[in-house]
């Protein structure tokens, strides 16, 4: 990996850590100010305030313990990159305390802002079969 790819991979590890700590503020620091979060089965959250509200809601509902694996990083311009990842682990439904397997495929668009790589767009979909 080149230096930009290594830096982007490190941001993804910071994102993984923030998810596993249910830390919305740590997540927000990784997004651009106009970032977009596009979770499966939910409308897009656009802009830092909406993204913060979305992650706050996620962390109230579930607790994640996941590991990300980078499948590919493609720098498509000087300040833009596309990243494809896979994640797996467990999710605890906070209302019931029930743990279940968690596995997703993810697509990130990164933008370099003032020398720092940030998440500009993020979407994911499960690769697990539907839950009953």
């Amino acid at each position: 990996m080149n230096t930009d790819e290594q830096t982007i991979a490190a941001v993804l590890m910071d994102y993984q850590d923030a998810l596993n700590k249910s830390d919305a503020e740590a997540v927000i620091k990784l997004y651009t100010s106009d970032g977009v979060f596009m979770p499966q089965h939910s409308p897009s959250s656009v802009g830092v305030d909406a993204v913060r509200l979305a992650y706050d809601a996620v962390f109230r509902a579930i607790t994640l313990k996941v590991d990300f694996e980078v499948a590919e990083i493609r720098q498509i311009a000087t300040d833009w990159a596309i990243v494809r990842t896979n994640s797996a682990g467990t999710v605890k439904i906070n209302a019931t305390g029930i743990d279940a397997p968690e596995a997703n495929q993810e697509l990130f668009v990164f933008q370099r802002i003032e020398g720092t790589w940030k998440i500009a767009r993020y979407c994911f979909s499960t690769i697990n079969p539907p839950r009953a």
Side-chain angles (χ1 to χ4, degrees):
M1 278 196 247
N2 68 34
T3 302
D4 284 326
E5 292 167 343
Q6 291 172 353
T7 302
I8 290 167
V11 173
L12 287 168
M13 292 303 98
D14 290 343
Y15 180 72
Q16 170 189 288
D17 293 345
L19 287 181
N20 289 335
K21 292 176 184 172
S22 298
D23 187 342
E25 286 308 310
V27 168
I28 293 307
K29 291 177 183 176
L30 303 174
Y31 270 84
T32 61
S33 62
D34 65 345
V36 179
F37 174 46
M38 298 175 282
Q40 179 172 282
H41 307 299
S42 298
S44 296
S45 297
V46 180
V48 70
D49 292 334
V51 171
R52 179 183 287 108
L53 288 173
Y55 278 96
D56 284 341
V58 167
F59 296 145
R60 278 193 306 275
I62 63 173
T63 301
L64 293 163
K65 294 295 176 209
V66 294
D67 292 311
F68 278 78
E69 178 183 315
V70 175
E72 65 179 322
I73 299 174
R74 303 277 178 155
Q75 192 167 353
I76 57 173
T78 303
D79 293 328
W80 291 93
I82 297 171
V83 181
R84 184 171 58 88
T85 61
N86 298 292
S87 62
T90 60
V91 58
K92 179 172 91 175
I93 310 304
N94 292 333
T96 64
I98 295 172
D99 287 317
E102 178 76 359
N104 292 297
Q105 56 187 350
E106 299 95 7
L107 186 63
F108 292 85
V109 177
F110 274 78
Q111 183 179 12
R112 186 174 11 214
I113 305 285
E114 297 177 2
T116 302
W117 285 103
K118 299 227 173 214
I119 300 167
R121 307 292 183 269
Y122 168 53
C123 64
F124 66 91
S125 63
T126 184
I127 57 173
N128 284 338
R131 294 185 184 128

